[in-house]
Amino acid sequence: MDKANLACKTKRKFKTTTDSKHDKPISPNLLDRKFKVSQPDQAYIGDITYIHTQEGWLYLEVVIDL
């Protein structure tokens, strides 16, 4: 590793960034885990994640028509 100028990178501790103890309105769960729909354009789901790269943080979002 020294010859290749490599070093291990230690993993950071998990840091909670979401505060679920609030008095703000919460959106209703309209799907209620019913992921089968009869036709297109009825329900969409999505998720986002953050990827750390050498150039900085990238954001990856996926949206799927059920």
Side-chain angles (χ1 to χ4, degrees):
M1 287 178 63
D2 286 337
K3 288 180 183 178
N5 198 21
L6 298 174
C8 67
K9 185 175 180 181
T10 58
K11 196 172 185 179
R12 295 182 191 176
K13 285 187 174 181
F14 179 78
K15 182 178 179 182
T16 303
T17 58
T18 304
D19 177 17
S20 59
K21 297 177 182 171
H22 56 77
D23 58 354
K24 296 181 176 135
I26 299 172
S27 298
N29 183 358
L30 300 176
L31 281 179
D32 196 29
R33 301 193 63 80
K34 296 177 183 130
F35 299 126
K36 294 189 180 196
V37 293
S38 59
Q39 53 186 322
D41 289 331
Q42 297 297 307
Y44 290 88
I45 58 171
D47 195 18
I48 188 168
T49 189
Y50 310 96
I51 304 168
H52 189 262
T53 68
Q54 291 179 347
E55 296 179 5
W57 287 97
L58 295 178
Y59 304 96
L60 174 65
E61 181 182 2
V62 177
V63 177
I64 300 173
D65 180 0
L66 292 176

